[in-house]
Amino acid sequence: LKDRYGSAGRGVERFTRDKRGLQQGLDHLRKYGNEVVAQEYLDEIAEGDIRVIAMDREIVGALRRKSSKGAWKTNIMGGGYMEAFTLTPFLEERARHAIEAFSDVRFQGLDLTVRTGTFIETNAFPCLLGSLNSLYGGQHEDKVLKYIF
């Protein structure tokens, strides 16, 4: 479960599928009320995930996020780390499919699994342009601004 309005991995909790996990999940619901999102944990996340930044249906850049040792969250602000990543044709196709599914979100960061390209989520406030700049050089915000003006 995760806080609907959270970011950087805050408010995201993973629960076991047993009575204890159910109780923890109910406690989480009480804390955040109806403003939560249920998202299945995918074992493949242990390999990290891919964040694709898009503006007006065009891919601006991509990076791979990995969790720190002993952790499971890949969020950079939550202790994960990033590395440069070139989308394979298959992952680019999966990303473009997801971008089209959320075409009303002009600026988005969508997350895919590395191996199978499974769609995880899209974020309307991805906040990783500086990360793209540090990994690849350049000014990725210029790519976004050209669509706005």
Side-chain angles (χ1 to χ4, degrees):
L1 293 176
K2 58 195 284 183
D3 174 13
R4 179 177 175 201
Y5 299 104
S7 63
R10 290 185 300 273
V12 177
E13 297 297 332
R14 181 175 158 198
F15 306 106
T16 55
R17 292 179 183 237
D18 56 19
K19 284 184 180 183
R20 182 172 179 255
L22 174 61
Q23 185 58 53
Q24 290 171 326
L26 291 171
D27 292 343
H28 192 77
L29 283 170
R30 282 193 225 20
K31 181 177 180 179
Y32 291 102
N34 293 331
E35 301 297 320
V36 296
V37 175
Q39 186 174 345
E40 182 180 9
Y41 176 78
L42 303 171
D43 290 333
E44 188 179 345
I45 293 299
E47 302 169 23
D49 64 11
I50 307 302
R51 168 63 62 91
V52 179
I53 306 295
M55 179 70 194
D56 284 342
R57 300 185 190 161
E58 294 300 321
I59 294 174
V60 174
L63 55 86
R64 183 174 184 172
R65 304 181 307 173
K66 291 184 173 181
S67 58
S68 57
K69 186 174 176 135
W72 58 273
K73 296 178 188 178
T74 61
N75 307 76
I76 307 304
M77 299 296 290
Y81 64 96
M82 64 185 171
E83 57 189 33
F85 187 83
T86 302
L87 291 172
T88 63
F90 171 72
L91 288 173
E92 183 175 338
E93 178 185 335
R94 298 290 295 167
R96 290 193 183 286
H97 181 75
I99 290 166
E100 286 301 316
F102 295 94
S103 61
D104 57 330
V105 181
R106 291 190 68 202
F107 182 50
Q108 62 181 295
L110 61 98
D111 302 336
L112 304 171
T113 60
V114 178
R115 187 171 16 97
T116 63
T118 300
F119 174 77
I120 301 168
E121 67 177 340
T122 193
N123 300 273
F125 303 101
C127 304
L128 286 175
L129 292 174
S131 300
L132 290 172
N133 291 343
S134 66
L135 286 172
Y136 301 106
Q139 299 294 315
H140 286 79
E141 56 272 15
D142 291 343
K143 294 178 181 179
V144 171
L145 290 172
K146 80 175 187 177
Y147 290 101
I148 296 173
F149 298 107

